[in-house]
Amino acid sequence: MNAHSSIGSDSPDPNGSLSEGRGFFDKISSRIGSQNSTGSRNIKPAEALLLLQNYEESRQGWFWSTDAAGNLTYITESITEILGTKSADLIGKPMVSLFLKPADNQAGARTLPFILTKKMKFNGLEVQAANSEDECWLSISGRPHQDKSGNFLGFRGSGNDVTAQRRMSLDTSRLAMYDSLTGLANRASMSKKLETTLAAYRQQKRACAVMLVDLDRFKQINDTLGHPAGDALLKQVAERLLKVVGQAGEVSRLGGDEFQIMLPDCDDRGILGDLASKIISSLSQPYSVEGNRCIIGASVGVAISPFDGLTSEDLVKSADLALYEAKGNGRGRFRFYSKGLQQSAEDRRVLEEHLRDAIGKGELELAYQPVVNVKTNAVEGFEALMRWNHPERGQISPALFIPIAEEANLIWELGQWAIKQACKDAAGWPGKSRVAVNVSPIQFANDLLPVVIDEALSGSGLSASRLELEITEGVFMAETNETNAMFQALKSRGVRLALDDFGTGYSSLSYLQTAPFDKIKIDQSFVRGATEPGSRNGAIIAAIVALAEALAMETTAEGIETLDEFALIKKLNVSHVQGYVYSKAVGNKELIENLEGGRWVIEPAGPAHHRNDRLSMYRKVRMIHENHVYSIVIRNLSKTGALVDGLYNVPIGTKFVIDFGDGQLAVATVSRSDGNLQGIKFETRLVDDGNGGLCTSRRVSPYLIAEAGLDVPNLPAGYVPTAKIDKDTLSLPAFSTVADWKATKIKPK
Ligand code: C2E
Ligand code: CA
Ligand code: CA
């Protein structure tokens, strides 16, 4: 007979669950007990004992009893295996010695010794076996028993093994907290963690940064290689992120291709910028996924508490805006949050709306920049560059609106228009100059691209050999059969292909061997770098040229502006140049005028070399000296110093604090002084802001401002205490100012 069936509906379930086990024990013991006191017999004692025995042997649960001192008087044999001893050895030992002493921080765990001394009834107490080899958890219940006169005799109780359940519930809570694909913390747990961290840090006046990382072109990989490949890629991304971030912070996956990193106690934008760059370059290295090679990029937005938000919601919102901006600026970049971003995000949304109608309204046109043979100075072709004449905003750069078009699914329509328009224009040119049209990777991934090319050629009558398509290495991010098929489809039509922007991304020479390019275009940033002392770019360009020649490809150096760049490029045997040194892009009419007779020769001309890396600008900032604030103008700015304009006759060695706004203060010393111009050196170097500009690596914490007794309700607002003018202590400013700029008194601390 089976012990379970005789108990009817109260039989313990096969898992030996805690509540059922307890019910079983209670029922059995009360029925045995009741037979003596009331005489109403449900089960004969012998039968009951047998049942208990069966139950014990089934290992669904076990029984124990102690004497008044808490020492064991009985324990089921089967459980003692788990406990690592024989029951005979345990008899007489304290019940509490069977279990690990609960750690102090384990809530409620101290209760067993406590309960035993208090002689309290207890149910389902979870304890860990002391001498078990594997981690083993038991749930125990017990009730005190007395003799007839009410004297406490000890405890009787039951127990069962809950190790498996415990593990399962741990797994479940793990599932709830972690992303099952990558094993990183998930959105919910990260957001909770960020919230508690920020709440604590607000009290402790500590800083905490948040980075949002978004993969560029991930969707295309997912679409072309399939979801399992996409999943495998995400796992590798997670591994790389963990490796780069290391101990500095905690990485989580928010979902899709978005990751978030929390970096406690980090407010140095120099360090954060470096980390963001490292993340971008690590994630941009090629991946091998299910035998396919693929490349993606990443954009990063950074926000720092307390400056950019105090709550987790605000901080993440700020990081999100920064990310949006980073993506809008051409991807593969990082951006710090700044207050202007709100406006700029809004601007982009408005632009996106206008862009939808731009083609229909005839606001788009193509300009053509000559591509010149450096040996003959003869123009051999033109690159078609899109121009948008916005009715209110004037000309908008394609560097701004092309990324918007890509994001907003407008690039196909725009690109199709550009290809057709360029072919139509080129067919009307005197001579046989080629026209190059930019093709976004999104267009390249569309099966219909060859059809569009066919229509453009047949519609215009342009011969295919005069059309060149400029493609960036973005098209290689997923090296699939489709990519190769597209190359073949285009080549078979007789159009030429150019690899654009070489030197800006991963720049693998291996593309040149696999894809049928007719030309490599070396990016202007790469050329510009080549003129810097110690740069290896020159050697790399020489290698590219050699390889290109061997493969019968042309080379074009882009963005050549100065004569020293031009000389270097010539020396490196680059065959063609496209840059201001020859000509900017011109309208179709001007092109036709210059191409009289089918030939246009241009003499290179331009400045001898680039000016140093100082950013020329005209930016009003505030300069604080003693307790006065002066308005001055920054004429140019580098990481180490600036030229400022606005004060007269400032002695060399004078110390100032420059206030760049938004809590960015830099201590500076005057190193040169000439009338109203001062050269100043910063005590701490400025750092890249990720957008071609500079910023201070640290900002003055709004906490400090608040501490200075100023009411800054929503902390990160403007904080320099100029508003608090204390007329009584107004003293004369040390320096006279240019024209009408006034010095304002600051309240002394
Ligand atoms: P890109 O394909 O690298 O085009 C070259 C860019 O460099 C052009 O900028 C050109 O005006 C600029 N440039 C040429 N010579 C010099 C120089 O000596 N100095 C400097 N500083 N710049 C020079 P633009 O016209 O603003 O175009 C920016 C980017 O927008 C292009 O970069 C291209 O990626 C994209 N774009 C333009 N038109 C189209 C289009 O029709 N379709 C697509 N998909 N993208 C386009
Ligand atoms: Ca181009
Ligand atoms: Ca280019």
Side-chain angles (χ1 to χ4, degrees):
M1 187 183 78
N2 178 307
H4 297 176
S5 56
S6 62
I7 308 300
S9 63
D10 283 319
S11 68
D13 73 30
N15 300 326
S17 93
L18 163 67
S19 57
E20 293 287 352
R22 189 165 70 236
F24 172 82
F25 171 75
D26 286 349
K27 196 133 282 179
I28 287 279
S29 56
S30 68
R31 284 184 193 182
I32 295 170
S34 67
Q35 142 203 336
N36 294 334
S37 49
T38 68
S40 68
R41 300 166 42 156
N42 297 326
I43 306 172
K44 290 187 191 116
E47 197 179 334
L49 271 177
L50 209 61
L51 285 173
L52 287 174
Q53 219 170 349
N54 277 345
Y55 182 64
E56 286 186 317
E57 279 164 11
S58 76
R59 299 180 179 231
Q60 304 282 344
W62 49 282
F63 303 112
W64 57 276
S65 65
T66 67
D67 59 18
N71 297 322
L72 283 165
T73 53
Y74 176 80
I75 186 157
T76 301
E77 185 67 43
S78 63
I79 190 64
T80 58
E81 284 166 23
I82 292 175
L83 299 175
T85 24
K86 287 205 160 107
S87 83
D89 298 338
L90 290 176
I91 301 302
K93 298 248 166 69
M95 168 78 174
V96 291
S97 71
L98 300 186
F99 311 108
L100 284 184
K101 246 215 196 105
D104 284 343
N105 57 1
Q106 233 171 294
R110 237 177 311 181
T111 45
L112 181 62
F114 177 79
I115 289 166
L116 294 186
T117 45
K118 289 280 171 197
K119 300 164 191 163
M120 283 157 56
K121 177 180 172 193
F122 63 98
N123 277 332
L125 184 72
E126 288 194 11
V127 286
Q128 191 179 356
N131 296 315
S132 165
E133 270 177 28
D134 307 312
E135 183 174 324
C136 171
W137 285 85
L138 304 163
S139 164
I140 53 173
S141 304
R143 50 165 70 176
H145 67 106
Q146 291 96 9
D147 63 13
K148 280 185 188 131
S149 24
N151 296 317
F152 174 67
L153 294 177
F155 273 92
R156 282 187 190 138
S158 64
N160 52 12
D161 187 344
V162 291
T163 312
Q165 282 156 273
R166 235 183 120 91
R167 224 171 259 153
M168 217 149 70
S169 76
L170 276 183
D171 282 353
T172 320
S173 62
R174 232 193 110 75
L175 268 184
M177 285 176 58
Y178 293 90
D179 170 46
S180 57
L181 178 65
T182 60
L184 298 175
N186 64 14
R187 180 190 285 273
S189 71
M190 185 43 128
S191 127
K192 214 185 226 159
K193 190 153 195 181
L194 185 62
E195 221 168 87
T196 38
T197 305
L198 290 181
Y201 278 26
R202 273 199 293 279
Q203 302 293 317
Q204 300 159 12
K205 303 194 171 128
R206 286 157 71 180
C208 180
V210 162
M211 278 187 190
L212 286 181
V213 181
D214 188 283
L215 305 181
D216 299 334
R217 301 182 300 247
F218 174 75
K219 192 180 169 302
Q220 279 158 273
I221 301 271
N222 225 12
D223 292 350
T224 48
L225 295 180
H227 284 259
D231 283 356
L233 182 64
L234 287 173
K235 276 192 208 171
Q236 294 185 39
V237 166
E239 281 162 22
R240 291 188 191 182
L241 280 175
L242 285 173
K243 202 163 160 213
V244 177
V245 174
Q247 299 298 306
E250 190 171 338
V251 183
S252 63
R253 175 169 172 236
L254 298 184
D257 59 349
E258 264 208 342
F259 296 82
Q260 181 180 315
I261 304 163
M262 177 176 92
L263 299 141
D265 290 312
C266 197
D267 67 343
D268 186 317
R269 286 186 287 187
I271 294 174
L272 287 166
D274 284 349
L275 181 64
S277 301
K278 265 190 214 149
I279 287 174
I280 292 165
S281 88
S282 161
L283 297 187
S284 308
Q285 300 297 316
Y287 299 77
S288 166
V289 175
E290 296 178 342
N292 290 294
R293 214 177 93 97
C294 53
I295 297 177
I296 51 170
S299 305
V300 179
V302 190
I304 308 164
S305 178
F307 310 96
D308 308 329
L310 292 172
T311 63
S312 115
E313 196 191 338
D314 286 352
L315 192 61
V316 170
K317 214 189 261 167
S318 296
D320 208 29
L321 263 180
L323 175 66
Y324 184 65
E325 187 73 14
K327 287 178 89 91
N329 281 334
R331 292 140 191 273
R333 297 173 185 234
F334 71 86
R335 270 311 285 273
F336 292 116
Y337 171 80
S338 73
K339 280 194 214 96
L341 293 189
Q342 192 72 51
Q343 186 55 43
S344 133
E346 181 51 34
D347 280 357
R348 268 214 304 282
R349 258 188 294 277
V350 173
L351 273 192
E352 182 184 317
E353 231 146 75
H354 291 174
L355 193 54
R356 288 183 194 280
D357 310 321
I359 301 180
K361 287 184 174 164
E363 289 170 9
L364 292 178
E365 59 183 14
L366 291 176
Y368 296 96
Q369 188 176 29
V371 181
V372 186
N373 182 321
V374 284
K375 291 219 173 77
T376 61
N377 288 340
V379 177
E380 291 190 352
F382 298 88
E383 176 176 4
L385 294 163
M386 226 184 262
R387 298 291 176 255
W388 181 10
N389 300 305
H390 191 278
E392 289 140 40
R393 301 188 36 174
Q395 279 224 343
I396 298 174
S397 163
L400 179 66
F401 72 79
I402 294 289
I404 295 178
E406 288 179 336
E407 194 92 331
N409 274 330
L410 294 169
I411 192 66
W412 175 253
E413 200 187 338
L414 250 62
Q416 185 174 349
W417 171 83
I419 294 169
K420 292 191 171 165
Q421 187 65 39
C423 289
K424 207 153 103 195
D425 286 348
W429 295 342
K432 295 216 168 341
S433 305
R434 280 199 289 257
V435 65
V437 185
N438 291 285
V439 173
S440 149
I442 296 169
Q443 294 170 267
F444 195 84
N446 190 322
D447 292 343
L448 291 174
L449 181 61
V451 179
V452 170
I453 304 282
D454 287 343
E455 287 172 2
L457 291 174
S458 62
S460 64
L462 189 77
S463 91
S465 62
R466 286 181 62 197
L467 176 62
E468 189 166 78
L469 302 180
E470 298 197 358
I471 295 154
T472 61
E473 60 188 8
V475 304
F476 295 105
M477 75 238 143
E479 240 174 64
T480 58
N481 294 334
E482 279 99 51
T483 317
N484 291 332
M486 181 58 79
F487 273 116
Q488 292 320 318
L490 295 175
K491 278 314 282 185
S492 71
R493 283 164 169 76
V495 299
R496 287 166 49 99
L497 298 175
L499 177 59
D500 200 1
D501 297 347
F502 191 87
T504 53
Y506 181 66
S507 307
S508 165
L509 288 172
S510 66
Y511 306 142
L512 303 180
Q513 276 144 342
T514 52
F517 286 112
D518 302 283
K519 175 183 260 186
I520 309 170
K521 301 191 77 176
I522 304 163
D523 189 70
Q524 53 175 294
S525 60
F526 206 67
V527 178
R528 210 136 292 156
T531 54
E532 279 167 19
S535 166
R536 293 175 55 226
N537 289 12
I540 297 172
I541 292 173
I544 295 168
V545 171
L547 182 65
E549 273 172 3
L551 296 169
M553 297 177 190
E554 288 175 1
T555 42
T556 297
E558 282 193 282
I560 306 296
E561 291 180 356
T562 61
L563 295 174
D564 66 336
E565 284 172 356
F566 185 69
L568 176 72
I569 280 309
K570 244 177 129 162
K571 198 180 96 194
L572 293 170
N573 280 326
V574 177
S575 62
H576 293 74
V577 157
Q578 179 185 342
Y580 298 169
V581 77
Y582 280 119
S583 172
K584 294 192 173 181
V586 297
N588 194 45
K589 235 171 103 199
E590 193 182 337
L591 180 154
I592 292 171
E593 282 162 17
N594 278 297
L595 211 51
E596 204 73 61
R599 199 170 151 78
W600 182 8
V601 177
I602 311 174
E603 279 304 312
H609 48 77
H610 278 285
R611 289 168 19 111
N612 56 27
D613 69 338
R614 292 187 157 233
L615 300 171
S616 299
M617 51 170 54
Y618 183 88
R619 175 172 165 191
K620 273 195 181 186
V621 300
R622 295 192 291 185
M623 199 147 95
I624 303 162
H625 178 256
E626 290 172 346
N627 53 7
H628 289 276
V629 177
Y630 303 88
S631 256
I632 53 129
V633 168
I634 297 255
R635 288 274 178 234
N636 63 37
L637 182 68
S638 74
K639 286 184 181 173
T640 51
L643 184 68
V644 302
D645 183 347
L647 300 185
Y648 277 115
N649 304 323
V650 183
I652 288 174
T654 308
K655 274 200 177 201
F656 281 104
V657 174
I658 309 282
D659 171 14
F660 290 102
D662 282 342
Q664 304 186 86
L665 299 188
V667 178
T669 310
V670 174
S671 57
R672 271 186 309 134
S673 190
D674 181 11
N676 59 317
L677 292 177
Q678 281 84 41
I680 57 170
K681 291 256 163 286
F682 299 126
E683 209 159 75
T684 310
R685 287 170 69 94
L686 302 185
V687 298
D688 289 327
D689 71 353
N691 190 36
L694 298 171
C695 59
T696 59
S697 68
R698 289 221 152 80
R699 283 173 283 177
V700 171
S701 157
Y703 297 132
L704 271 184
I705 301 155
E707 244 166 40
L710 297 153
D711 49 325
V712 200
N714 191 13
L715 292 170
Y719 56 88
V720 166
T722 43
K724 300 234 164 171
I725 298 173
D726 184 347
K727 291 215 168 71
D728 301 338
T729 52
L730 199 68
S731 61
L732 287 174
F735 308 110
S736 55
T737 62
V738 172
D740 54 354
W741 288 329
K742 286 199 195 83
T744 321
K745 177 86 183 116
I746 316 173
K747 181 185 174 188
K749 249 198 183 174

